[in-house]
Structures are given as C-alpha cells and as structure tokens.
C-alpha cells in the first residue's frame, strides 16, 4: 500500500499574476539540488487526523506560518515513488521579514559514521512566478499548479 500525504499549495497574486509558494527540503541529500526538488509543504497524516487537518498542520510545521484563508481542493497526484499527495490551494502571503522555520528530523550523517544529526525538514521557502515554480517543483506536482491555474481562470 502506498503512503499518502497531504499539503497546501499557497499562492498570491502580484501585478495580476499568480505566484506559487514552494519549500525546499532540508538535509544533506537536497543541499545542492534545486530544479525539480522543491515541493508543496506536505506530510503524512497522524492517526485519527483527516487529510485536511494533516495539510494544515504540516504547512505550519514546515514553514512556521499559520495557514489562514479558504482551502480549495486540487485533488491528488501520484509521485514517482508511489506516494499519493492530496492537495489544497490557499491564497496567502508572508511577512516582509519572513524566514522559514521548520520542524527537524534526525538521521545518521555522514553515512555509516554512527553519528546522528538534526536537519530541518525544509531549509527555505519562497514565492516564485508560475514559469519558474514549474521548473523548481517536483515534476509530479506540476499538475497541482496546472489545476490551480485552471481554477483561477
């Protein structure tokens, strides 16, 4: 059975055009990766938690921002590894002095060293114009941006 996660695709309108808010995964595997590596803030639901509740919680945990506003369901997509991602769009913005603050995870690093290190789940998050967001986001998640653009028409 494939894993399911839930997330929020936040957007804002600037000069009449949408901008897409994406987060960059933290940790050593993504340190030097850019195009195709960014993602919507998302994560696994906890026991007894609805997908919508999980999306809201994960957004806050991975960005440090409290989600506010109406949610617009964008459906789900299947990523390369088989994970199903359920997504909602939300119009929003960040404060001028915004710096992403994320929860952390622990892993052995360097590999086979026996040393455990803490890394942020997301090391940065920012808005991008649609054309750049499509280059930066995980390729399987491009469909979520396309669905948002259809709904915004």
């Amino acid at each position: 059975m494939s894993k399911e996660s839930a997330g929020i695709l936040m957007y804002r309108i600037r000069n009449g055009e949408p901008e897409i808010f994406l987060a960059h995964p933290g940790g050593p595997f993504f340190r030097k990766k850019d195009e195709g590596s960014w993602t919507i803030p998302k994560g696994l639901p906890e026991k007894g938690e609805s997908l919508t509740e999980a999306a809201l919680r994960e957004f806050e945990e991975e960005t440090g921002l409290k989600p506010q506003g109406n949610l617009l369901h964008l459906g789900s997509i299947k990523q390369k590894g088989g994970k199903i991602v359920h997504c909602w769009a939300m119009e929003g913005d960040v404060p001028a002095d915004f710096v992403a603050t994320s929860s952390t995870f622990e892993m052995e690093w360097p590999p086979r060293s026996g040393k455990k290190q803490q890394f942020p789940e997301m090391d940065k998050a920012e808005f991008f114009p649609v054309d750049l967001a499509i280059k930066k986001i995980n390729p399987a998640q491009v469909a979520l941006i396309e669905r948002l653009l259809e709904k915004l028409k």
Side-chain angles (χ1 to χ4, degrees):
M1 185 173 158
S2 63
K3 290 184 178 178
E4 290 185 297
S5 67
I8 293 178
L9 175 62
M10 187 166 76
Y11 69 96
R12 68 183 180 191
I13 306 297
R14 284 285 188 265
N15 301 315
E17 297 294 325
E19 293 183 345
I20 307 298
F21 185 76
L22 299 175
H24 186 268
F29 297 120
F30 289 94
R31 183 170 287 133
K32 295 182 180 179
K33 294 182 180 176
D34 187 49
E35 288 191 2
S37 297
W38 292 66
T39 184
I40 64 168
K42 63 178 176 21
L44 303 173
E46 295 178 351
K47 187 176 180 174
E49 185 177 48
S50 74
L51 291 169
T52 308
E53 291 167 334
L56 293 166
R57 177 184 49 76
E58 287 289 338
F59 184 86
E60 186 170 0
E61 286 179 3
E62 293 188 354
T63 66
L65 297 168
K66 184 115 177 109
Q68 298 177 2
N70 297 323
L71 296 180
L72 177 64
H73 192 241
L74 297 177
S76 60
I77 53 103
K78 188 174 193 175
Q79 296 192 152
K80 189 173 156 183
K83 181 187 284 185
I84 305 294
V85 178
H86 302 274
C87 183
W88 288 262
M90 175 186 73
E91 187 171 5
D93 207 344
V94 298
D97 60 350
F98 172 73
V99 175
T101 55
S102 174
S103 53
T104 61
F105 67 95
E106 184 178 79
M107 66 179 284
E108 181 180 6
W109 192 258
R112 296 177 292 289
S113 67
K115 297 177 183 177
K116 299 279 187 179
Q117 289 191 42
Q118 294 279 329
F119 297 97
E121 284 190 55
M122 299 294 158
D123 58 14
K124 54 189 165 186
E126 58 188 272
F127 279 99
F128 296 100
V130 170
D131 58 339
L132 187 53
I134 287 172
K135 290 178 184 176
K136 293 209 177 261
I137 199 168
N138 175 319
Q141 294 177 23
V142 169
L144 300 172
I145 295 173
E146 292 169 345
R147 291 175 195 171
L148 171 65
L149 295 176
E150 274 300 309
K151 291 184 183 277
L152 292 176
K153 283 184 178 177

